[in-house]
Amino acid sequence: MTVTMSEAPTLPSPRGPVSRAVLAALRGDRPEPPDAAQALPYGEDLQLALYCCYELHYRGFAGVDADREWDPALLAIRADLEEVFLGALREDVPAGTDAEGELGALLVEHVDAFGVSHHLWRHGHLWQLREYVAHRSLYHLKEADPQTFVVPRLHGPAKAALMTVQHDEYGAGDPERTHSKLFADMMTELGLSDAYGAYVDSAPAEMLAEVNFMSLCGLHRGLRAALIGQFATVELTSSPGSDRLVKAMRRLGCGPDAIRFYAEHVEADAVHEQLVRREVIAPLLSAEPELAADLVFGIRSSVFLADRLEEHLFRCWNRGESSFRDGVEASRP
């Protein structure tokens, strides 16, 4: 049985021996298992390979047999890739158990803070905004889907409260109001392709790693608290950044369909902040206090990976160059 959904993306191009082997396996070949240990944990090759393995649990790929989702050989490769990625994060991200302190720190934005949203608001160019949106599409066109994997891994009040948040993420029953649809509308307004997976080949490893971390935690019951930590990081910090992006788009003359996505998040995430902190995390840790370390790991890993993406963007933009992998300034009008 092959994927026939019109929205299924085409397979991307390989970025090294590991992703080449994974892509060959997706096409039905039986290549020699790649040596994941030789790949850089945050590098292009490993992150693309892992992204392709995870994408089988979302919409799959055009022409790829749907049964590949549970192919034992691919799952074995994925496990090796996950071990390398997760091992690097465990080494690079300091451990901690003070979940309440970590959450409180997320709510404090220092006066001298500066990131991509600040840059785009104050003096960013339209082509930079469009590149940023293209990169973010790898997550936002399936927004909330990685977090939904964790729902059956929770119980009681935490599960009920998370479903309240997810109900909003999926448009409260209106398909035109799902956050992924609002993001797609923004892409169209900005002159970008809203096709699912259209910018995978252009996205750097830093963006792939952010999405991969969500999938990794969502698909492993043992990392359920880490995913809640990741989700909390987004929900507790999103409103100010979304507000700056709304201002950036207005300054750059973007239309209402472009502005609507981030305007929605200014209000929605302010509400979700309270729900996630008080009604998801509090009962979760009350019932299972031993999960505090994983929750802190999820928060700190999310910040670590987001910082790496920002560093990549600024490294390219400060040189006046595209942040797309191919270096072609395809997003400039």
Side-chain angles (χ1 to χ4, degrees):
M1 180 174 59
T2 56
V3 174
T4 58
M5 292 173 57
S6 61
E7 293 184 278
T10 58
L11 287 169
S13 299
R15 303 184 188 182
V18 177
S19 55
R20 187 174 297 110
V22 167
L23 289 165
L26 291 177
R27 294 187 181 97
D29 298 332
R30 290 294 176 185
E32 286 295 318
D35 187 357
Q38 298 302 311
L40 295 174
Y42 309 119
E44 301 286 350
D45 191 26
L46 185 142
Q47 290 300 326
L48 178 66
L50 197 51
Y51 182 89
C52 289
C53 289
Y54 287 143
E55 195 55 39
L56 296 175
H57 299 288
Y58 296 101
R59 301 193 195 180
F61 294 98
V64 172
D65 193 317
D67 289 342
R68 288 282 179 266
E69 180 180 8
W70 301 111
D71 183 293
L74 271 170
L75 291 174
I77 293 172
R78 196 189 90 184
D80 290 342
L81 299 173
E82 290 175 333
E83 183 178 0
V84 174
F85 183 34
L86 190 57
L89 287 172
R90 296 282 191 199
E91 184 174 335
D92 293 334
V93 175
T97 58
D98 183 8
E100 189 59 34
E102 208 72 22
L103 292 167
L106 291 176
L107 295 171
V108 178
E109 186 170 271
H110 297 288
V111 293
D112 59 348
F114 188 81
V116 170
S117 64
H118 299 84
H119 166 75
L120 294 173
W121 166 35
R122 294 174 183 170
H123 41 249
H125 300 287
L126 181 59
W127 67 269
Q128 294 171 333
L129 171 67
R130 295 171 79 240
E131 284 195 354
Y132 179 69
V133 169
H135 293 324
R136 298 301 312 173
S137 69
L138 270 65
Y139 167 63
H140 286 296
L141 289 181
K142 59 172 174 256
E143 183 167 344
D145 290 349
Q147 292 78 19
T148 297
F149 282 130
V150 85
V151 172
R153 306 173 192 278
L154 303 177
H155 64 276
K159 184 175 192 172
L162 181 59
M163 282 306 301
T164 298
V165 177
Q166 295 298 80
H167 183 62
D168 286 346
E169 298 283 347
Y170 291 131
D174 182 353
E176 294 300 311
R177 297 298 303 172
T178 61
H179 288 184
S180 59
K181 177 62 167 63
L182 295 178
F183 195 89
D185 292 343
M186 175 175 61
M187 297 185 79
T188 300
E189 181 85 1
L190 293 174
L192 296 165
S193 171
D194 67 350
Y196 184 90
Y199 292 97
V200 172
D201 274 325
S202 296
E206 291 83 356
M207 184 65 239
L208 295 174
E210 281 203 60
V211 184
N212 285 340
F213 182 67
M214 300 179 209
S215 298
L216 168 65
C217 295
L219 290 167
H220 287 268
R221 182 179 176 275
L223 292 170
R224 62 193 182 282
L227 185 61
I228 296 299
Q230 178 276 325
F231 197 35
T233 304
V234 174
E235 299 299 322
L236 269 66
T237 62
S238 173
S239 289
S242 294
D243 184 57
R244 285 188 289 270
L245 289 169
V246 168
K247 293 175 180 175
M249 290 188 181
R250 286 175 176 156
R251 179 179 67 81
L252 293 168
C254 300
D257 283 347
I259 294 169
R260 188 173 297 115
F261 174 82
Y262 283 110
E264 168 85 7
H265 282 68
V266 174
E267 180 178 345
D269 287 351
V271 175
H272 293 172
E273 167 199 319
Q274 296 298 316
L275 279 170
V276 171
R277 188 177 186 186
R278 303 184 187 283
E279 298 187 36
V280 177
I281 293 175
L284 176 67
L285 294 185
S286 176
E288 301 179 89
E290 69 277 9
L291 294 180
D294 284 343
L295 191 135
V296 170
F297 173 69
I299 293 172
R300 293 182 176 179
S301 295
S302 297
V303 173
F304 173 77
L305 294 171
D307 286 347
R308 293 187 79 255
L309 177 61
E310 286 205 338
E311 289 169 6
H312 169 77
L313 294 175
F314 283 129
R315 185 165 56 249
C316 296
W317 292 349
N318 288 340
R319 297 195 299 257
E321 298 174 356
S322 169
S323 61
F324 282 172
R325 275 194 66 253
D326 50 24
V328 177
E329 297 172 341
S331 67
R332 295 199 187 194

